[in-house]
Amino acid sequence: MKFKLDKTLSLVAVGVLSVLQGAQAAPVYEIINIDLDTYDLNGTIENTRNGYGMAVNANNEAVGAAKGKKKLTVSEDDDGVIDIEDGVADSETINYSVNLPIIANNFTFTAIENDPDTPWLPTFESVNGTTAPTFPEDEATVNSVDTFFYDINDSGVKVGAMTAPEKTVKYDGSSETQEFWYYRDYEQRGFVKAGTDAEIPLIPPYSEYIYKEGESDEQTINLGGFSSAAAVNASGLVAGYASTDIGDNSASIIKSCVDNDSDTAPQDICIQAKQFPNQYGYSDIQYQIRGYVWQYETGGVTATQLPLGLEVTNNERVYSAQGLGINSEGVVAGRSYVYRKNDKDRLYYDAAYWTKGADGTYEYNWVDVDKAKDVYSSIAYDINDNGILVGSYNKYINGYRRDKFFYFDTNNPETPLVTPNDFYENLSDLSSRARDINNQGQVVGYIETTHDKEKPRPKAAFLYDLPKDEFSNVNDLLTCESKGYKKNADGEWERNLVEVQDGSGKTLTYKSEILVVEGNSINEDGTIVGTAFIRKPSYKFDEDGNLVIGENGLPFFEVNGYGDPVTSFLPRMVVLQPSTSGAEACTVKDDDGSNDNYERKGAASFAWLLALPLLWFRRRVK
């Protein structure tokens, strides 16, 4: 029997029922978008390196984002470009500068189960005029717009964020080779997109700065504003956040660009340069950010600002709030700056939720983290229709700051938040974050898997069944084929061997391996989308960053002391569904270290969603 939480059910009742139900094994999962001929993942769009699954709806329609174009070139004495599967080199980065063209590197895609030809295959979808990445790169279709999908509802309404397209100003500086300066009208703007219709931008309430010089001379400068759409419910109500003002220090920076009488750069370019991150990853200009909801209806949206968790009387300091999840009743989950218990000596960035009153106005509600003791910050990512909110808080555990997944019953706010035990009977020091919860009380997210103190810790996706209080590493629920195994002639499981030929003509082999590292969304049927690492060989590059190519036209691989190819993990979208064939979870363990987890930067798919405008603004004319 499937147990669905009653909307008035308290956490105490949930605990009682979980005991009454007794222990029951978690479902066995299969990776659905795996190619069992090659043991590869169909997890990103063509001509990109990385893919991330962000959300899935009840119709098994998923959305995601791809990152990293294939831009590998060969040396000048070769004939052209080699198309290799793994895309861009690790060392390749896109650096933004007003002196260089703006090149986009993030693309939106959809993947659907009922596609008759290619079920769950990521398919590029254009937003804000973007074109699919090409290889070799077609200069006529190079994008300057980055796009992201974050959620999709059961009606197929998608939400996300985008940047503005590149603009140019004729260059008149000291360089003899530069022709243009480069800028754009905004750095990030949320949008709503239904089916194949054009996206509807979510215009922030604050996007222009009014510059006054004297009593009559006034200039309107377009800063672009900042907004993002994070989640959408069944009725088309969108949760996110947007700019409402700028801080006083940011206003001074903009004024300095307007007052600059030197010939160094035009006003637009001066302001643009202040938006790019410095060496520490921050911008010189910062917005006041508030949580927002937008009601989408065919052809337009209606915006409502969510109250901040504290009262602000001036712009000397920048305060932020974000809406990140929303349920069918319009309750919004997220975070906000707040004075805990109204103590102005205790300013924190904490998990929150907003409820809608009978008069249509929203009320801010703090998630009381004081009972968890010594919490430095907290965040809520989602809330289900039963009012169960999930998120994480950050605190010191065994001398190190860690994140811990929690859930909270908003229908019974007097009860404390709950930190479930993960793999242990007490509070472990493994960082964990919950990303999504369905109405069955199933939660997905990620958790660290080792206890190294000084090293980066590898991560794995988790599935937590709240009514049963059952916490599982998703990789322990997978069938053997979903982990990269196949049966040999003796009927025993062994890792699939991948054969690759390199520039010397040699055939090299490595073992298939797939690790699910993050669960981002789970629907009512238990289908999970997220991110998995898949093992791939590493290519050899010369000191100029070009592929080393053999006489046979193939690239060379990096090899270890045994002559085997050096491998690493690449992130790809993963789709998992409960097995209906009676399959069992894989219990095979390798004795050669192949089961060891590996962490690679680039798997944190929610980083885009949470990035606040430390580098966002733009300009405009008088």
Side-chain angles (χ1 to χ4, degrees), residues 171-209:
Y171 179 79
D172 59 0
S174 58
S175 173
E176 297 181 357
T177 59
Q178 186 171 333
E179 186 177 1
F180 297 104
W181 274 299
Y182 303 89
Y183 73 104
R184 53 191 178 195
D185 284 339
Y186 56 84
E187 286 303 306
Q188 183 162 316
R189 184 154 293 174
F191 67 84
V192 185
K193 191 173 190 294
T196 58
D197 295 344
E199 70 280 345
I200 298 175
L202 303 178
I203 309 298
Y206 183 89
S207 61
E208 296 178 335
Y209 175 73

Side-chain angles (χ1 to χ4, degrees), residues 284-295:
D284 292 331
I285 305 175
Q286 296 186 356
Y287 276 119
Q288 301 284 358
I289 295 293
R290 301 293 181 265
Y292 261 80
V293 292
W294 295 267
Q295 180 61 62

Side-chain angles (χ1 to χ4, degrees), residues 25-31 474-483 485 487 493 577-588:
V28 174
Y29 270 88
E30 296 177 303
I31 294 179
V474 167
N475 295 282
D476 293 338
L477 307 179
L478 296 179
T479 63
C480 286
E481 289 172 316
S482 295
K483 301 179 77 168
Y485 292 94
K487 284 190 174 180
W493 290 105
Q577 290 183 330
S579 175
T580 58
S581 62
E584 296 181 353
C586 189
T587 58
V588 177

Side-chain angles (χ1 to χ4, degrees), residues 4-229:
K4 185 169 183 178
L5 297 174
D6 184 84
K7 292 186 178 180
T8 60
L9 189 63
S10 71
L11 296 182
V12 175
V14 169
V16 172
L17 282 173
S18 67
V19 173
L20 294 176
Q21 289 190 120
Q24 183 176 344
V28 174
Y29 270 88
E30 296 177 303
I31 294 179
I32 303 302
N33 61 326
I34 190 173
D35 186 334
L36 292 179
D37 292 327
T38 62
Y39 282 78
D40 200 2
L41 277 181
N42 295 320
T44 192
I45 58 176
E46 189 174 4
N47 300 319
T48 59
R49 175 187 177 93
N50 301 340
Y52 307 89
M54 298 303 296
V56 62
N57 66 13
N59 303 314
N60 283 339
E61 301 167 325
V63 294
K67 184 179 179 70
K69 294 187 294 185
K70 291 184 176 179
K71 295 179 59 183
L72 294 174
T73 59
V74 300
S75 57
E76 294 181 359
D77 58 354
D78 213 285
D79 294 331
V81 179
I82 301 295
D83 183 8
I84 61 174
E85 178 184 9
D86 296 337
V88 299
D90 292 346
S91 59
E92 180 179 318
T93 58
I94 292 179
N95 297 313
Y96 291 107
S97 167
V98 294
N99 300 309
L100 299 171
I102 298 174
I103 301 174
N105 203 32
N106 301 281
F107 305 86
T108 40
F109 66 75
T110 58
I112 62 176
E113 181 182 50
N114 64 358
D115 187 301
D117 299 319
T118 53
W120 293 116
L121 181 70
T123 303
F124 169 78
E125 182 167 326
S126 178
V127 172
N128 204 10
T130 56
T131 55
T134 58
F135 187 87
E137 194 163 71
D138 182 356
E139 294 184 359
T141 62
V142 172
N143 290 313
S144 61
V145 176
D146 285 294
T147 58
F148 309 90
F149 278 146
Y150 293 135
D151 198 14
I152 180 172
N153 72 5
D154 295 347
S155 300
V157 176
K158 300 175 283 288
V159 298
M162 60 189 179
T163 63
E166 171 192 272
K167 288 187 172 182
T168 59
V169 173
K170 185 68 177 179
Y171 179 79
D172 59 0
S174 58
S175 173
E176 297 181 357
T177 59
Q178 186 171 333
E179 186 177 1
F180 297 104
W181 274 299
Y182 303 89
Y183 73 104
R184 53 191 178 195
D185 284 339
Y186 56 84
E187 286 303 306
Q188 183 162 316
R189 184 154 293 174
F191 67 84
V192 185
K193 191 173 190 294
T196 58
D197 295 344
E199 70 280 345
I200 298 175
L202 303 178
I203 309 298
Y206 183 89
S207 61
E208 296 178 335
Y209 175 73
I210 307 300
Y211 173 79
K212 293 184 178 181
E213 185 177 10
E215 295 184 0
S216 58
D217 191 3
E218 185 174 285
Q219 182 181 164
T220 299
I221 301 171
N222 177 50
L223 302 179
F226 184 92
S227 65
S228 185

Side-chain angles (χ1 to χ4, degrees), residues 290-599:
R290 301 293 181 265
Y292 261 80
V293 292
W294 295 267
Q295 180 61 62
Y296 164 75
E297 295 176 341
T298 304
V301 295
T302 303
T304 302
Q305 182 177 330
L306 303 176
L308 190 68
L310 52 86
E311 183 179 353
V312 177
T313 58
N314 58 57
N315 284 330
E316 293 180 0
R317 188 166 185 169
V318 173
Y319 299 95
S320 299
Q322 295 175 300
L324 299 173
I326 189 167
N327 68 11
S328 63
E329 296 183 350
V331 182
V332 178
R335 60 178 174 176
S336 172
Y337 274 98
V338 65
Y339 294 120
R340 290 184 186 168
K341 305 288 179 66
N342 294 316
D343 183 347
K344 292 191 177 182
D345 291 328
R346 304 180 68 212
L347 177 64
Y348 290 89
Y349 203 14
D350 272 348
Y353 61 99
W354 290 264
T355 53
K356 190 175 183 179
D359 60 353
T361 61
Y362 276 86
E363 178 184 357
Y364 164 85
N365 299 273
W366 176 54
V367 176
D368 187 347
V369 295
D370 274 352
K371 294 175 183 178
K373 296 182 180 179
D374 303 321
V375 171
Y376 285 88
S377 64
S378 59
I379 184 171
Y381 286 100
D382 194 30
I383 184 169
N384 70 7
D385 293 347
N386 308 301
I388 305 298
L389 174 149
V390 295
S392 65
Y393 58 78
N394 181 271
K395 65 180 294 182
Y396 275 99
I397 302 177
N398 295 338
Y400 293 82
R401 286 183 66 164
R402 307 295 187 195
D403 295 319
K404 294 303 295 185
F405 147 52
F406 73 84
Y407 65 83
F408 178 74
D409 186 352
T410 63
N411 290 323
N412 294 275
E414 70 283 354
T415 60
L417 60 82
V418 179
T419 305
N421 292 332
D422 37 64
F423 308 124
Y424 303 91
E425 294 181 357
N426 50 22
L427 185 69
S428 79
D429 74 337
L430 299 175
S431 285
S432 57
R433 286 197 174 191
R435 299 299 198 192
D436 194 32
I437 180 171
N438 65 14
N439 292 329
Q440 314 304 319
Q442 294 175 305
V443 184
V444 292
Y446 74 77
I447 185 169
E448 294 173 339
T449 56
T450 69
H451 294 272
D452 293 324
K453 300 299 183 184
E454 307 295 339
K455 299 179 181 179
R457 293 173 164 187
K459 298 176 177 64
F462 75 74
L463 172 66
Y464 176 68
D465 191 314
L466 190 155
K468 302 172 186 173
D469 191 24
E470 185 177 69
F471 193 98
S472 303
N473 181 332
V474 167
N475 295 282
D476 293 338
L477 307 179
L478 296 179
T479 63
C480 286
E481 289 172 316
S482 295
K483 301 179 77 168
Y485 292 94
K486 69 177 183 180
K487 284 190 174 180
N488 58 24
D490 297 326
E492 297 178 345
W493 290 105
E494 62 182 10
R495 287 207 174 273
N496 175 63
L497 286 181
V498 181
E499 295 185 350
V500 289
Q501 190 177 29
D502 77 348
S504 68
K506 293 181 181 178
T507 297
L508 306 176
T509 62
Y510 67 94
K511 294 180 178 180
S512 294
E513 189 173 3
I514 299 170
L515 292 170
V516 185
V517 295
E518 187 175 50
N520 285 332
S521 180
I522 182 167
N523 68 14
E524 300 307 312
D525 293 329
T527 297
I528 300 170
V529 300
T531 304
F533 281 158
I534 184 168
R535 191 176 290 281
K536 295 289 183 179
S538 300
Y539 292 90
K540 185 177 292 185
F541 297 87
D542 62 23
E543 58 185 14
D544 296 322
N546 295 316
L547 279 172
V548 179
I549 304 298
E551 294 182 357
N552 59 2
L554 297 176
F556 281 88
F557 296 100
E558 294 283 359
V559 295
N560 59 24
Y562 298 99
D564 297 323
V566 174
T567 60
S568 62
F569 280 108
L570 293 178
R572 299 285 166 83
M573 177 192 77
V574 65
V575 182
L576 306 103
Q577 290 183 330
S579 175
T580 58
S581 62
E584 296 181 353
C586 189
T587 58
V588 177
K589 296 292 183 183
D590 295 328
D591 57 7
D592 59 0
S594 296
N595 287 111
D596 293 344
N597 281 346
Y598 176 90
E599 182 182 42

